[in-house]
Amino acid sequence: MTGYPRSRDDDQGKPVSESTPTAAHEFTHSDFKPSILDDLSLSRAELLVLTDEASAMTTAGQRIREIGDFDMSLIGRVEVDGVMVHRSWQGTKSNALHRLVVPEGIGLGGKSILLQQPVWVRDYLSDPGITHDFDALVKEEALRGMLAVPMSYEGHVLGAMYVGTREYSSFGDRVIAEIQSIADTAAVTLLSAQRAATQTELALEAERKRLAESLHDSVSPVLFRIGAELQSLRALGDAQAIHDRLEEITEQVHAVNASIRRSLTDLTARPPERNLPVGIEEDCQAFTLRTGIPARFVPLTESPDLDASRVEALQRLVREALVNVEKHADASTVVVSLSARSGRVTVVISDDGRGVDGTDDSKRGSQLGLGLAAGRLERLGGGMSVVSDDESGTTVRGWVDALEGPST
């Protein structure tokens, strides 16, 4: 069909009018009449306050791709300084558009964000209605027809969703309306996740402030008193009196040290059942800082009190799985979850990158690491599984029983 536009039909099954063959087409929200059901769906999504943001974006990308049997989909999120970064993708042939930084007004997605409305082109490379800063990258993906729809909520643009074909295409009103509906729901998910993160940060900041004030109130008066005592020594001529004062000051210094140690213990101490969640959270943060790939930890249930060998075995699996993602997956997001049900504790590490190829020699070192982690779990009566494919990435699952057992 090269050279002939493929039409995405409207509700009546008729091709959409194409009065401006080469210009980018723009649609306002008034073109679509949201139903009461749509409003209820958005309200329900807001109340759910979805926590697994990365998984939700992957699911949304799959849904919009399926609406018109599109060749690929992309989802970008507005991040630092108002620029958008592509964070989720389905059906791409290369990594040309992965993690691409898109300023407002630039390209198709940037124009969609600027106008806050859907924009589509029949042939990206020749359309005069968009800038062509990313032509080389789009050409590498062999894309022609593309549609970008903003993800916005109450006037705040949070990102954009794209679908594309590798042949000339137009996009009907029904298809655009369906993708816009998914984008609106995804915007609520993103905003809810951001609000939840903000609330967590505020709670942590309040706790840090409380501990700082407590430390200040307990230590500062003693330090002031020690300083005053040292100044008063200058006026003493009796060696014995100076010695006695120094002994008093020494006791005060010991008291300050003890107070600081107690405060530091309070800051670092945690109950045994928090060892595994805290360790996984630290590993995810280190992975994100090291690679730039967002890794989110989602505790689905409270973690039980595990012995040290079980904690170490599960955390070792998380670390090995994250190393695999870093070296081989070309993923945009990673989600690590922890749950405890029916006496079994399970960790799941999911990425949206390339699947694992067991015949690839370059990955055998990483597979060896996973094998050793699996062996440790099996010695504790647990196990591990790996499910992988090119479309949905790789999911590594490990589990142990939450019963006390001998250390290894």
Side-chain angles (χ1 to χ4, degrees), residues 173-186:
D173 289 359
R174 178 187 60 80
V175 168
I176 297 173
E178 288 184 17
I179 294 177
Q180 183 67 71
S181 177
I182 294 173
D184 290 342
T185 302

Side-chain angles (χ1 to χ4, degrees), residues 41-53 56 185-200 296 298:
S41 177
L42 285 176
S43 298
R44 176 182 179 275
E46 184 173 19
L47 292 174
L48 283 174
V49 191
L50 298 175
T51 57
D52 195 343
E53 177 185 332
T185 302
V188 174
T189 300
L190 286 173
L191 188 62
S192 298
Q194 291 173 6
R195 287 174 176 172
T198 300
Q199 290 172 351
T200 301
R296 297 193 59 206
V298 182

Side-chain angles (χ1 to χ4, degrees), residues 54-67:
S55 177
M57 292 302 101
T58 298
T59 301
Q62 292 171 341
R63 288 181 61 195
I64 62 174
R65 187 182 174 195
E66 292 167 357
I67 285 175

Side-chain angles (χ1 to χ4, degrees), residues 33-338:
K33 305 297 183 183
S35 66
I36 295 176
L37 184 60
D38 291 335
D39 291 338
L40 290 174
S41 177
L42 285 176
S43 298
R44 176 182 179 275
E46 184 173 19
L47 292 174
L48 283 174
V49 191
L50 298 175
T51 57
D52 195 343
E53 177 185 332
S55 177
M57 292 302 101
T58 298
T59 301
Q62 292 171 341
R63 288 181 61 195
I64 62 174
R65 187 182 174 195
E66 292 167 357
I67 285 175
D69 192 25
F70 298 109
D71 293 319
M72 73 97 209
S73 66
L74 285 168
I75 298 180
R77 291 180 287 183
V78 174
E79 298 183 6
V80 180
D81 298 328
V83 300
M84 180 173 65
V85 182
H86 294 169
R87 291 299 187 188
S88 183
W89 44 82
Q90 301 285 332
T92 54
K93 289 183 173 180
S94 70
N95 60 2
L97 299 174
H98 299 181
R99 304 185 193 92
L100 179 65
V101 177
V102 182
E104 185 178 278
I106 302 301
L108 190 70
K111 183 174 182 178
S112 176
I113 289 177
L114 177 64
L115 299 178
Q116 297 191 29
Q117 63 189 44
V119 181
W120 66 268
V121 294
R122 182 177 301 115
D123 180 15
Y124 188 102
L125 297 177
S126 64
D127 197 287
I130 60 173
T131 71
H132 289 275
D133 300 68
F134 307 125
D135 278 7
L137 303 178
V138 172
K139 187 175 182 180
E140 187 173 342
E141 274 293 325
L143 294 171
R144 292 292 189 177
M146 288 186 70
L147 163 69
V149 174
M151 295 187 295
S152 58
Y153 183 77
E154 295 183 347
H156 299 286
V157 180
L158 303 174
M161 289 185 171
Y162 306 73
V163 289
T165 66
R166 295 188 172 92
E167 58 187 66
Y168 300 96
S169 299
S170 58
F171 299 85
D173 289 359
R174 178 187 60 80
V175 168
I176 297 173
E178 288 184 17
I179 294 177
Q180 183 67 71
S181 177
I182 294 173
D184 290 342
T185 302
V188 174
T189 300
L190 286 173
L191 188 62
S192 298
Q194 291 173 6
R195 287 174 176 172
T198 300
Q199 290 172 351
T200 301
E201 284 298 321
L202 289 175
L204 290 174
E205 185 61 34
E207 180 63 12
R208 284 193 291 265
K209 183 179 179 182
R210 184 191 68 78
L211 290 171
E213 290 176 347
S214 175
L215 192 60
H216 176 272
D217 292 344
S218 62
V219 173
S220 291
V222 180
L223 293 177
F224 178 80
R225 188 163 60 250
I226 290 173
E229 291 281 358
L230 290 174
Q231 289 292 333
S232 68
L233 290 180
R234 298 176 182 275
L236 294 178
D238 184 354
Q240 184 60 44
I242 292 176
H243 179 271
D244 293 342
R245 282 288 184 85
L246 286 174
E247 292 229 344
E248 293 176 5
I249 293 173
T250 300
E251 291 178 2
Q252 293 172 11
V253 170
H254 289 329
V256 170
N257 285 335
S259 178
I260 292 175
R261 284 196 298 272
R262 284 194 299 272
S263 296
L264 291 175
T265 299
D266 291 341
L267 285 171
T268 57
R270 56 178 178 257
E273 65 271 15
R274 300 300 295 162
N275 286 335
L276 181 58
V278 170
I280 294 176
E281 176 65 31
E282 290 173 347
D283 287 340
C284 287
Q285 291 178 0
F287 174 86
T288 299
L289 289 174
R290 187 171 68 248
T291 67
I293 303 170
R296 297 193 59 206
F297 172 50
V298 182
L300 301 176
T301 63
E302 289 293 329
S303 177
D305 181 4
L306 296 175
D307 62 279
S309 61
R310 284 169 167 75
V311 170
E312 173 60 25
L314 290 171
Q315 193 165 355
R316 178 70 62 86
L317 176 65
V318 171
R319 289 173 182 168
E320 291 295 341
L322 290 176
V323 168
N324 276 8
V325 175
E326 180 179 357
K327 291 183 176 180
H328 308 297
D330 188 30
S332 63
T333 53
V334 183
V335 177
V336 181
S337 65
L338 171 67

